[in-house]
């Protein structure tokens, strides 16, 4: 089996060029993005879109998100991950199974059609989650490429996936917004350090394996700069699976919450992990149940709404 | 003895109005600040000044700061405080004793005359320090009012002190800049929780006692907003001793370093602590050796410079 992106080396870090296209469809008039938008995504590895959803739709999504994260700690399933030092919900995986509204959102044409265009294929959800960073004590997410983990631990073969982050609170410069290294998606950092067993049990709280060395991050930032994705609730950030990103902690009173959908190309389904003994559980990475999305049009209504 | 600001209550938090002026001198034509600047400080509790120093002066200060923080860990005096989880220097106290250049900076008319004006008195250094927040793993400083600690643990009687923060690296929105709650200096938050013995041994790494309750911080931010003090190296931020402030952690490659001088009015010298058994050590709070500053004019030259 070809491994285009070797990683989790025992003794060294490797930096190689990306072996896949970024934009898997040539732009044309009927693309769901403007030409400049497609070019921005190709060059920077991400794209911020505002006003995709109506204020009513955004309010509905925020209501559902609020209900989900206030689930009683005793009744939380395994895919509810809490903050390292408290009971507060940090991430809810399988978001599309916990909420019809969010399942509908994931399939919404305003997102799914863009994903299909970027990836040049039909798409399905590799992962879906709700990130919730509380105010006052929200911890940082250290720099990482999502693809590195999905390749090493889930067996996703190629860079043919894209994440959509839908902001459910205002994200400003002070409450730990997503930071991205533009252009970093064109290099693959094969990380130092073997994958421990059941790595996901700790890596979701604080990632230690599969992160680039500080000097490498510094070098990439020096070359490419560092961008911040801020915007009001409802803003959508598409970012390429290999774009290096992270976020600072948050002592402000303003929580930060985002829904994440990872769209993977149907032809890019996971095989065996490339650098781990066993694959991560299904709630982290769909493997057995793969359902291509049927893009849906029309307004998204909240649960319990008319 | 009158205690104008009771704090460290066993069982509750109190919020009372400030019992002291903010601006201790009426503005006039010969003040070292413009009228709008003095008004800004009075209303918001802080003031950002750019271009006070020449590029040469700033470079000299940065050089000295770099030398200080690379002192061998084995040779560091007790007033060098390291990061909770590493050997890296986080704060150097008694900065004016460790460096002639910084002693000269503290007395520079561009700072000291402003402090004298704001406090309406001759001034001396209650504390001086160099804060250094490394890149990648800089930890947050949680919300606090400096005066609360100085009053409780050092015995500073009244709100008649001002800090000057001199930025020694660029402070941008992403590398954990100083955040301030404008207007918070007009209220005093008497904090919940008695002072543990030797509190400073842990509070300098992560403050637990003497911090407001989250709901109180949220309330003040809702009323007054939240400001961020950013600027290129060389920028100076004056902030009133009771202004609520804090800063987020920093995973970016960009370190953050500032020199801090706390100017106290000569008539506001510490007495016995108001809410602690014994005063903090001299390197944290001058008590026995109080030397009024003589404002000095002219360029600041780095150590070893001509």
């Amino acid at each position: 089996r070809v491994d285009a992106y070797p990683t989790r080396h025992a003794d060294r870090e490797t930096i190689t060029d990306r072996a896949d296209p970024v934009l898997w469809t040539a732009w044309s008039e009927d693309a769901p993005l403007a030409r400049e938008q497609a070019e921005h995504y190709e060059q920077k590895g991400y794209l911020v879109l505002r006003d995709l959803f109506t204020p009513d739709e955004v309010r509905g999504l925020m209501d559902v998100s609020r209900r989900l994260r206030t689930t009683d700690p005793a009744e939380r399933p395994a895919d509810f991950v809490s903050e390292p030092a408290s009971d507060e919900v940090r991430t809810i995986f399988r978001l599309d199974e916990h909420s019809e509204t969010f399942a509908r959102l994931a399939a919404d044409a305003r997102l799914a059609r863009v994903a299909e265009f970027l990836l040049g294929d039909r798409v399905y959800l590799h992962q879906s989650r709700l990130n919730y960073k509380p105010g006052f004590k929200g911890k940082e997410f250290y720099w990482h490429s999502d693809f590195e983990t999905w390749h090493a631990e889930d067996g996703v073969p190629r860079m043919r996936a894209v994440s959509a982050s839908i902001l459910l609170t205002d994200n400003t410069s002070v409450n730990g917004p997503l930071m991205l290294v533009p252009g970093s998606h064109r290099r693959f950092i094969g990380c130092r350090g073997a994958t421990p067993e059941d790595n996901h049990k700790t890596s979701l709280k604080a990632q230690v394996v599969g992160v680039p060395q500080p000097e490498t991050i510094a070098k990439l930032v020096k070359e490419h700069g560092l961008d911040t994705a801020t915007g009001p609730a409802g803003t959508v950030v598409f970012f390429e699976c290999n774009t290096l990103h992270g976020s600072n902690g948050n002592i402000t009173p303003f929580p930060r919450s985002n829904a994440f959908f990872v769209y993977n190309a149907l032809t890019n389904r996971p095989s065996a992990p490339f650098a781990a003994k066993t694959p991560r559980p299904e709630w982290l990475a769909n493997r057995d149940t793969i359902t291509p999305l049927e893009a849906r049009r029309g307004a998204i209504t909240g649960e319990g709404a008319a």
Side-chain angles (χ1 to χ4, degrees), chain A residues 5 7-8 18 41 45-46 91 93 126-129 131 141-165 178-181 184-185 187-189 191 199 203-204 207 209-212 237-247 256 258-264 268 274 280 284-285:
Chain A
Y5 300 107
T7 187
R8 312 285 168 107
R18 179 188 181 99
Y41 177 84
Y46 74 92
T91 309
F93 286 91
H126 175 65
Q127 187 188 90
S128 71
R129 61 187 203 258
N131 284 328
F141 281 87
Y142 195 69
W143 299 107
H144 63 284
S145 143
D146 289 334
F147 176 77
E148 197 277 343
T149 292
W150 300 339
H151 183 69
E153 303 188 26
D154 299 336
V156 172
R158 313 294 306 201
M159 293 182 187
R160 199 171 182 175
V162 61
S163 296
S165 166
L178 184 67
M179 299 188 291
L180 309 114
V181 183
S184 58
H185 61 305
R187 311 283 280 165
F188 177 72
I189 302 167
C191 295
N199 184 40
S203 72
L204 298 177
Q207 192 170 354
V209 169
V211 298
V237 186
F238 281 96
F239 59 103
E240 210 281 334
C241 61
N242 189 45
T243 304
L244 201 61
H245 62 283
S247 60
R256 202 199 95 186
N258 306 10
F260 261 90
F261 299 119
V262 179
Y263 297 97
N264 193 19
N268 195 35
F274 285 87
R280 300 193 301 171
L284 275 173

Side-chain angles (χ1 to χ4, degrees), chain A residues 26-33 117:
Chain A
W27 184 86
S28 67
E29 291 288 343
D30 56 351
L33 293 177
F117 166 73

Side-chain angles (χ1 to χ4, degrees), chain A residues 112-142:
Chain A
R113 282 275 293 122
V114 171
E116 288 171 352
F117 166 73
L118 296 173
L119 305 177
D121 197 355
R122 299 195 66 189
V123 300
Y124 73 96
L125 289 181
H126 175 65
Q127 187 188 90
S128 71
R129 61 187 203 258
L130 183 68
N131 284 328
Y132 184 75
K133 193 184 279 193
F136 300 111
K137 52 186 170 182
K139 293 296 171 209
E140 71 277 6
F141 281 87
Y142 195 69

Side-chain angles (χ1 to χ4, degrees), chain A residues 2 13 18 29 57 117 167 171 208 215 245 251 276 278 285 292:
Chain A
V2 171
E13 183 180 82
R18 179 188 181 99
E29 291 288 343
E57 287 178 312
F117 166 73
L167 309 192
N171 273 222
V208 175
E215 312 82 66
H245 62 283
I251 68 162
T278 48

